[in-house]
Amino acid sequence: VGSLCQSMDATSLSISQLKAELARRGISIDGCVEKRELVHLLQDAAAPASKRRRPSPEKAPEPPSPPPPPPAASHEACVKRRLVDALPRSYLPKEPDPERLFEPHSAPPLHAGATLRVATWNLLETVSGPNDPRGMHAVFDLRRVNVLRLLLALDADVVLLQELCEASRSFLRAVLPSHTLVGHFLLRTAPSERGVWLEPLEEAERHVLVGHGPTGPPFKPLAKQTGPRGYVAHLAVRVRGLAAEREAGEAEAEAEAPRLALASTHLANFTNGQMDKTDKEARLFLATLGRQLLRLPAKHRAPLLLGGDFNAGKHGTGSLHDLLTGRRPPEPYDSEDEWPGDEGELRWPPDTQRAPVRLARDLWRDPPEEERYFGGLQRGSTAIQYAQQQEPGQGLRARARRQGWAEGGACTDSGHIDWLLAAHEFAKGQPLLRALRVGVATEMMVPPLPPRQPSEVPSLPPGGCIFPSDHYPVFADVQLVPHR
């Protein structure tokens, strides 16, 4: 293979020849899935054959080649090249420099005792037209480099996504060699450094929540509307590469790989997050999510991870959060859209005569305070208004200035509208989910990169950036605990 490289251009080599030559040079090909990435690596490692000098016998031998780059460096090179290949040249002046993609950030590493890092993120659908009030802050093409930067910084094994559009779908498929987009779920499908990856077991399913029309006082935002008011998408996966699977024989490996049910939701906004008895849409949300929390663990024989944009805070007795996570009888719902299975052990509403039922646990509340990374978000929503991105300081700094946050003040999650919930009471005999570390990936944790040419985006404040979304990702490092 070495003689081939010296006599012809790297692009003319076959994939097997490229791999053999890179292996001979001690260069890792981790993360490379296409031939052009192998070609790029080889071209970086050696000058073109036409310019290489062969030592004559009379000359002293050349010094040894420098050591090969570490696997992380090779991975970064592959990601940068995939990004550059995915970016049209016309957009580059307004976008950040791809070479800065891996600049320092303060996202914490995976907890040492965790099995997986999971996250939920509303990516913000791209601008709808010239009159969209969000303007450039909603244009996905201006945000995509910072979207990738944040995803790489978090390095989550599972990301539950909302507000995907064709632009974001095609971009994510093009730039992430280690992950695969399956419906609303971004899954690590190539083994991580820990050897862990996820195997989808089925096609993702999606259940749409439909409004009922006028049902209450006219000031309620949902009372005037019909049609879709949200959705729940779900998918079953198998967690591969864990120690138990690696130690098992080939015939037993699949049986040793635990299953996990994933669900992503996005709900329309309703009055203060309260389950008002006159608001059928709010009751519909509870009934639909409650059914999923009851049945999906039983259907997939796995613990359920439900995350998404609930468009409601966690505060208040009778709130959606309270009724889903509190150990109390849920709000009764006289179903107008009975589902198959509205009977027996998993009927809706659940039988609470013998004991109260808690449909889900909020993973944010699992770890101790020192393992909750708020990213400077002292209080309020996990969404960041586009107007706050145009103020000096941008984002949380603008919010802190307006609301008078004390430096280093206490933090609370009561205003968070992006949640990660776990349900496992009905996944009999399966592992349980427990969060060891949680966080909100704000711009203070993973600083977004500025445009290459700020003059191309004059409406940004001095030194400003276009944020990757109007929501912050919420993440949790979870441990799969064997059921006892």
Side-chain angles (χ1 to χ4, degrees):
V1 176
S3 61
L4 284 173
C5 287
Q6 294 171 355
S7 61
M8 63 181 69
D9 188 85
T11 57
S12 63
L13 300 180
S14 67
I15 292 177
S16 59
Q17 290 172 327
L18 288 166
K19 288 181 176 179
E21 177 63 12
L22 288 166
R24 186 182 70 83
R25 295 171 178 268
I27 298 174
S28 171
I29 60 172
D30 291 346
C32 296
V33 296
E34 298 183 11
K35 179 179 177 179
R36 68 171 181 269
E37 296 169 347
L38 301 174
V39 171
H40 286 319
L41 281 180
L42 189 54
Q43 289 173 339
D44 281 355
S50 60
K51 297 183 180 179
R52 186 182 304 141
R53 295 182 180 180
R54 300 193 183 200
S56 62
E58 297 77 22
K59 292 183 179 180
E62 292 184 356
S65 300
S74 297
H75 169 71
E76 291 182 9
C78 281
V79 171
K80 288 178 182 178
R81 289 195 180 92
R82 290 173 73 97
L83 173 59
V84 170
D85 289 344
L87 292 177
R89 293 289 174 182
S90 58
Y91 279 104
L92 284 176
K94 292 185 179 181
E95 294 184 272
D97 185 351
E99 290 300 319
R100 301 180 60 183
L101 195 61
F102 291 91
E103 285 197 354
H105 56 79
S106 59
L110 181 75
H111 190 284
T115 310
L116 298 168
R117 172 164 289 180
V118 300
T120 181
W121 193 13
N122 183 326
L123 266 185
L124 179 60
E125 193 168 5
T126 195
V127 65
S128 58
N131 297 322
D132 191 316
R134 300 169 300 176
M136 64 178 179
H137 297 287
V139 179
F140 183 78
D141 288 349
L142 299 183
R143 298 183 280 119
R144 55 191 168 190
V145 173
N146 279 323
V147 166
L148 178 59
R149 169 171 163 77
L150 209 162
L151 287 171
L152 292 168
L154 282 184
D155 195 27
D157 301 290
V158 179
V159 186
L160 314 175
L161 295 168
Q162 302 87 45
E163 289 202 40
L164 285 165
C165 59
E166 185 53 41
S168 56
R169 289 181 186 276
S170 59
F171 179 75
L172 293 177
R173 292 187 179 114
V175 298
L176 284 171
S178 57
H179 288 65
T180 301
L181 186 63
V182 182
H184 292 266
F185 308 94
L186 188 63
L187 309 176
R188 186 189 301 278
T189 51
S192 66
E193 292 182 3
R194 297 168 286 120
V196 175
W197 57 284
L198 293 109
E199 176 189 7
L201 297 179
E202 58 180 15
E203 295 291 328
E205 298 183 25
R206 195 170 188 265
H207 182 83
V208 177
L209 288 68
V210 179
H212 290 284
T215 59
F219 58 83
K220 293 195 173 181
L222 292 181
K224 299 180 180 180
Q225 304 183 33
T226 58
R229 306 306 305 146
Y231 65 82
V232 185
H234 55 90
L235 173 72
V237 299
R238 184 176 280 118
V239 184
R240 306 300 302 268
L242 299 180
E245 178 184 354
R246 294 194 298 268
E247 295 167 2
E250 184 175 345
E252 301 175 355
E254 187 171 298
E256 292 294 337
R259 298 163 64 98
L260 182 62
L262 307 173
S264 176
T265 190
H266 188 189
L267 305 181
N269 188 24
F270 55 93
T271 309
N272 296 323
Q274 300 302 306
M275 301 303 298
D276 192 291
K277 294 180 180 179
T278 65
D279 193 333
K280 287 187 177 181
E281 277 71 20
R283 295 164 64 197
L284 171 69
F285 292 167
L286 172 62
T288 302
L289 294 176
R291 283 167 164 139
Q292 303 281 14
L293 291 164
L294 275 170
R295 296 176 186 158
L296 289 179
K299 173 184 176 181
H300 296 299
R301 295 179 290 109
L304 172 67
L305 174 71
L306 169 64
D309 176 4
F310 289 77
N311 261 313
K314 301 178 180 181
H315 43 73
T317 302
S319 67
L320 178 61
H321 184 270
D322 179 49
L323 291 169
L324 290 176
T325 63
R327 189 168 286 281
R328 62 181 70 238
E331 180 78 12
Y333 182 75
D334 184 13
S335 176
E336 299 174 11
D337 62 339
E338 290 188 359
W339 293 11
D342 276 349
E343 57 186 20
E345 184 180 6
L346 299 178
R347 71 183 180 88
W348 183 265
D351 182 7
T352 58
Q353 297 300 315
R354 289 172 292 179
V357 171
R358 182 173 66 176
L359 295 170
R361 281 184 11 261
D362 187 343
L363 290 178
W364 188 274
R365 309 285 173 87
D366 275 2
E369 190 66 31
E370 61 269 18
E371 291 292 351
R372 298 177 188 173
Y373 291 75
F374 284 86
L377 177 61
Q378 290 190 20
R379 58 181 181 269
S381 175
T382 43
I384 191 76
Q385 297 297 325
Y386 65 90
Q388 293 171 348
Q389 298 179 37
Q390 298 179 175
E391 298 180 22
Q394 295 193 294
L396 292 184
R397 292 178 179 86
R399 191 191 295 186
R401 185 175 59 251
R402 188 185 310 110
Q403 298 181 9
W405 294 358
E407 185 174 350
C411 299
T412 174
D413 67 315
S414 64
H416 292 189
I417 67 174
D418 299 274
W419 314 340
L420 283 170
L421 308 180
H424 51 60
E425 291 194 22
F426 304 96
K428 297 182 177 178
Q430 297 301 308
L432 312 182
L433 285 175
R434 182 178 67 179
L436 304 180
R437 173 177 292 160
V438 294
V440 185
T442 69
E443 77 277 3
M444 298 177 72
M445 180 181 289
V446 184
L449 302 172
R452 290 182 64 191
Q453 297 181 15
S455 61
E456 293 284 329
V457 196
S459 56
L460 282 179
C465 307
I466 297 177
F467 284 23
S469 176
D470 64 345
H471 282 249
Y472 298 128
V474 174
F475 64 91
D477 294 349
V478 298
Q479 182 184 45
L480 288 170
V481 183
H483 184 83
R484 302 191 186 281

